[in-house]
Amino acid sequence: MKKIRKASLILLSLTASASLLQACGTSNEGNNGAANAGSNANAGANAGTDANESGVKKDGFPIVDKTVTLKMMSQDAGIADWNTMPVMQEMEKLTGVHMEYQLAPIDSFATKKNLVFASGDLPDIFYAADLTPAEQVTYGTQGVLVPLEKYIDEGYAPNLKKIFDEHPDIRKSFTTPDGHIYALPNIDLSAVWYRGPMWYNGKFLKALNATEPKTTEELYAYLKRVKTEDPNGNGKADEIPLTSVKLDDLRMYFLGFWGIYNEQYYADKDGKVHYTPQEEGYKGYLTFLNRLWKEDLLDHETFSQTGDQKKAKGTNNQVALFNDWFPYFTLGGEPSGDNPLMTPVSSEIAGTPVYGKHPGISTNGTFAISSSNPAPEATMRWVDYLYSYDGATLFGQGPENVLWKYKNKDTHEKEWLPVKDGKDREEVRGTLTPNYGIVTPGMSSAELTKGLKSDFDEWLDKENAAKLTPIAKAPFPNVYLTNDQQTEATTLLSDLSTYVTQMEARFVTGQEPLSNWDKYVSQLKKMGSDRIVELYQGAYDTWNANK
């Protein structure tokens, strides 16, 4: 149940300020009560420019006068039959486009996708396709995927074009080295968290009459007090100052204390690319965690425990500082503002702390049109609706008057409706729309959730605005390497990551003395870490130079 609640709350809470995208779609009546997403936003269902040679209208609905049937391949969370989903039925009525679905479970979709590309028996549309940059370049240059920029610029995607024009970095980030756009992203410029953040146990802070630490030394002193002053009040020395699962949950957050934006590679504020595991800041991170380990301030089960075992310690009120999407997932109880989001702390390195924020777009492509598609213009009009306010609302929250209704349609303010038969709201949503458990094309914004946020969601927004957004920067743009470069980088990073993970655990636990740091860095360079910097610096410079 917690996973379901998490998914629902993530939709409502990953915002720090009003979205830059809130003007990208308009809310006006159209066919079957759906909104018109075209450039002529006040047009009725059959309004818009006359159909061109392709028979596709550039605005108004339906998109085509005669039904077009397309084959769509997608991942599927397995909650409901897409043919009976109200959202997909509404889209067919609105657009005149009928979809035939070729679905695969989430855990086997990548294999199915590879088989489809290899066989040449292509669907017309890839939806929620998780197309890597390498796949976009490979299958785009081979002609398997259709370049999309022509249809975007010629008026078949007015909502997406508006976003691209107002945020040119998004367009740059999905333009391949040959100048084409082969896939579309999921866009959410209101997102803040790249991963779940760190949280303090508020009861411990209160018991120790402590304020949030602001420096690594103050953090060390606080964790020391947790260990020695019995803040859970049970008379036992069972408190765990800091816990983790293999450091994967805390690494990125903690690296920011030493000026690092990401755990693999990142571009600093001056545009210089760094390979994180050989930076001096990374050494500072290892040194600090080793200090905590030696004094039993970092959970000694960090490298062996499961997530459930970690949570059990939280619900037993033993943990002072931890990672999770929301604090009550670990500590139990209900959503509240009692357990503060951790304020990143500064270290001995100037300019710290920093925070690697969500880039606002998916790193992989969510939508593509194949060369077998008989109606690319209609397809582009279809998907463009998802980048409007009304389309994003339909796919994100389901049709009006099922789970929600408008309190004020003019201002986009909504309110939740009671869920029939006491069912879980998120589980019901999964039967209404395909946008459940998968990253899909479209946009998200704070505008979509006006009136739907709980007090807890509003509190989260304030915590983000005060503690994270002022020091936040997206670690690295979405860039493209050539096929040969991508193959080289993938091979190098695979070997490097294995070695780095092993050495991280050894340095933190003291099995490898930090006096061997220079030897470790030398080994990284032998394994190609400087070549990674060279490859991604070149790609970053190219991205930065593009207009």
Side-chain angles (χ1 to χ4, degrees), residues 22 31 62 67 77-78 91 207 220 333 391 408 419 425 437 450 456 498:
Q22 62 189 36
N31 191 39
T67 298
M91 277 296 284
Y220 165 78
N408 186 328
V419 182
R425 186 183 305 278
K450 286 180 65 174
F456 179 67
T498 298

Side-chain angles (χ1 to χ4, degrees), residues 255 258-282 349 473 475-476 493 524-525 528-538 540:
L255 285 170
W258 284 270
I260 293 174
Y261 291 96
N262 197 17
E263 54 196 86
Q264 194 166 67
Y265 54 83
Y266 66 97
D268 64 23
K269 292 180 179 179
D270 297 321
K272 182 180 179 182
V273 176
H274 302 263
Y275 179 64
T276 293
Q278 65 187 28
E279 293 293 310
E280 281 298 311
Y282 185 78
I349 293 179
K473 174 186 176 298
F476 206 76
L493 286 171
L524 290 178
K525 292 178 180 293
S529 59
D530 286 345
R531 176 58 177 162
I532 290 297
V533 172
E534 181 182 359
L535 288 170
Y536 283 98
Q537 185 71 64
Y540 181 83

Side-chain angles (χ1 to χ4, degrees), residues 462-484:
K462 293 177 181 178
E463 289 285 279
N464 285 332
K467 298 177 178 181
L468 299 183
T469 55
I471 58 171
K473 174 186 176 298
F476 206 76
N478 191 50
V479 300
Y480 293 87
L481 302 176
T482 67
N483 285 334
D484 289 344

Side-chain angles (χ1 to χ4, degrees), residues 126 202 233 242 282 294 354 392 424 441 447 460 481 497 506 529 543:
F126 290 93
L242 172 64
Y282 185 78
K294 287 191 295 187
V354 300
D424 182 87
E447 190 77 359
L460 285 176
L481 302 176
S497 295
R506 292 179 62 82
S529 59
W543 177 89

Side-chain angles (χ1 to χ4, degrees), residues 86-375:
V87 166
M88 302 310 284
Q89 293 177 334
E90 179 71 11
M91 277 296 284
E92 181 169 344
K93 294 176 185 177
L94 178 68
T95 64
V97 177
H98 173 72
M99 296 292 183
E100 294 180 349
Y101 304 109
Q102 300 174 356
L103 306 177
I106 293 171
D107 58 1
S108 63
F109 178 76
T111 300
K112 180 70 177 294
K113 179 176 62 174
N114 291 337
L115 290 173
V116 164
F117 278 128
S119 70
D121 184 14
L122 301 169
D124 300 317
I125 297 169
F126 290 93
Y127 184 91
D130 201 26
L131 292 162
T132 66
E135 288 172 336
Q136 294 169 47
V137 171
T138 298
Y139 298 116
T141 55
Q142 290 178 1
V144 176
L145 301 180
V146 173
L148 304 179
E149 70 280 354
K150 170 185 175 182
Y151 306 108
I152 295 170
D153 294 334
E154 290 184 356
Y156 294 102
N159 294 293
L160 184 58
K161 180 68 159 57
K162 183 177 178 64
I163 294 173
F164 280 177
D165 288 347
E166 294 180 353
H167 308 286
D169 281 1
I170 297 177
R171 180 166 188 149
K172 287 197 308 182
S173 295
F174 270 78
T175 300
T176 59
D178 62 359
H180 293 306
I181 299 172
Y182 295 112
L184 301 180
N186 176 283
I187 300 171
D188 183 2
L189 293 185
S190 61
V192 179
W193 300 344
Y194 201 94
R195 296 180 182 173
M198 303 295 297
W199 305 93
Y200 284 110
N201 183 329
K203 291 180 180 178
F204 283 20
L205 286 169
K206 186 175 181 179
L208 297 174
N209 194 26
T211 57
E212 281 197 58
K214 296 297 190 292
T215 68
T216 52
E217 284 302 311
E218 290 180 5
L219 177 60
Y220 165 78
Y222 173 70
L223 297 178
K224 190 76 171 177
R225 290 189 63 194
V226 168
K227 186 67 178 175
T228 59
E229 297 183 27
D230 191 28
N232 67 9
N234 66 359
K236 302 177 182 178
D238 61 349
E239 288 83 357
I240 302 168
L242 172 64
T243 192
S244 174
V245 177
K246 298 180 175 61
L247 304 181
D248 291 336
D249 47 3
L250 67 75
R251 185 183 300 111
M252 187 163 169
Y253 208 88
F254 267 55
L255 285 170
F257 308 164
W258 284 270
I260 293 174
Y261 291 96
N262 197 17
E263 54 196 86
Q264 194 166 67
Y265 54 83
Y266 66 97
D268 64 23
K269 292 180 179 179
D270 297 321
K272 182 180 179 182
V273 176
H274 302 263
Y275 179 64
T276 293
Q278 65 187 28
E279 293 293 310
E280 281 298 311
Y282 185 78
K283 180 182 180 181
Y285 153 82
L286 293 176
T287 301
F288 184 74
L289 289 186
N290 174 251
R291 181 186 184 188
L292 300 185
W293 182 274
K294 287 191 295 187
E295 300 191 36
D296 205 18
L297 306 181
L298 171 61
D299 192 344
H300 276 206
E301 294 183 345
T302 284
F303 296 101
S304 60
Q305 69 181 342
T306 66
D308 287 342
Q309 288 170 328
K310 184 188 82 168
K311 290 177 188 292
K313 297 171 182 177
T315 56
N316 200 37
N317 198 32
Q318 292 178 262
V319 178
L321 180 60
F322 57 93
N323 167 281
D324 212 326
W325 274 108
F326 303 109
Y328 66 92
F329 285 177
T330 290
L331 298 178
E334 295 299 317
S336 75
D338 296 336
N339 303 292
L341 185 150
M342 181 188 190
T343 301
V345 298
S346 62
S347 66
E348 66 279 5
I349 293 179
T352 59
V354 300
Y355 176 72
K357 73 180 289 288
H358 193 288
I361 57 175
S362 56
T363 54
N364 289 341
T366 60
F367 186 91
I369 299 174
S370 81
S371 57
S372 69
N373 189 307

Side-chain angles (χ1 to χ4, degrees), residues 389-547:
Y389 167 83
D390 295 292
T393 295
L394 176 65
F395 273 75
Q397 299 161 3
E400 185 180 0
N401 296 321
V402 179
L403 292 177
W404 63 277
K405 70 176 182 178
Y406 277 112
K407 290 180 68 176
N408 186 328
K409 194 165 187 177
D410 291 336
T411 63
H412 293 166
E413 187 176 3
K414 307 182 181 86
E415 64 179 346
W416 292 119
L417 294 172
V419 182
K420 293 181 180 180
D421 302 322
K423 295 180 180 178
D424 182 87
R425 186 183 305 278
E426 186 68 2
E427 290 179 340
V428 173
R429 191 182 72 84
T431 69
L432 304 177
T433 175
N435 290 21
Y436 179 89
I438 53 179
V439 181
T440 58
M443 73 91 169
S444 299
S445 76
E447 190 77 359
L448 297 177
T449 57
K450 286 180 65 174
L452 300 180
K453 290 191 174 184
S454 66
D455 291 342
F456 179 67
D457 296 318
E458 299 288 354
W459 174 78
L460 285 176
D461 286 347
K462 293 177 181 178
E463 289 285 279
N464 285 332
K467 298 177 178 181
L468 299 183
T469 55
I471 58 171
K473 174 186 176 298
F476 206 76
N478 191 50
V479 300
Y480 293 87
L481 302 176
T482 67
N483 285 334
D484 289 344
Q485 289 174 334
Q486 186 65 63
T487 298
E488 181 183 7
T490 299
T491 301
L492 291 175
L493 286 171
S494 177
D495 293 340
L496 283 164
S497 295
T498 298
Y499 177 67
V500 166
T501 299
Q502 293 172 346
M503 293 302 294
E504 178 187 51
R506 292 179 62 82
F507 278 130
V508 169
T509 60
Q511 296 177 55
E512 187 79 21
L514 282 158
S515 58
N516 285 344
W517 169 260
D518 290 342
K519 179 181 176 183
Y520 157 78
V521 171
S522 177
Q523 180 62 26
L524 290 178
K525 292 178 180 293
K526 290 178 183 177
M527 296 176 69
S529 59
D530 286 345
R531 176 58 177 162
I532 290 297
V533 172
E534 181 182 359
L535 288 170
Y536 283 98
Q537 185 71 64
Y540 181 83
D541 291 344
T542 298
W543 177 89
N544 212 33
N546 288 336
K547 301 300 182 183

